Amino acid sequence: MNFPLYIAGRYTISRSKSTAVNIITAISALGIIVSATALFVILSVFSGLKTFSLSFTNSTDPDLKVTAAAGKSFL
């Protein structure tokens, strides 16, 4: 077995006397889960917001728009 994998499995899976390692592992796992969930929620919200804003602008934009070919005004 690979030595680093053996050490990682020994300290993460077993309930040994070194409770500091278990506490640090639990805190870091919880932090990764919370941050991944927050990222997923934020991306979902912004995706829905983009769809809503595009539908809103499509309903208010005119089909035909008259603009000047040169300058700011026309005769």
Side-chain angles (χ1 to χ4, degrees):
M1 182 181 272
N2 197 4
F3 184 68
L5 186 62
Y6 171 73
I7 297 295
R10 180 177 171 170
Y11 283 113
T12 56
I13 296 172
S14 68
R15 294 287 180 191
S16 61
K17 293 181 180 180
S18 61
T19 57
V21 173
N22 293 335
I23 292 172
I24 291 171
T25 302
I27 290 172
S28 64
L30 183 67
I32 290 172
I33 290 170
V34 167
S35 63
T37 305
L39 182 64
F40 181 72
V41 168
I42 288 172
L43 288 175
S44 297
V45 166
F46 279 125
S47 175
L49 214 60
K50 177 183 173 187
T51 306
F52 174 72
S53 65
L54 285 178
S55 68
F56 180 71
T57 56
N58 286 340
S59 65
T60 57
D61 282 342
D63 291 332
L64 296 174
K65 186 184 271 188
V66 178
T67 58
K72 295 184 178 181
S73 61
F74 54 92
L75 299 175

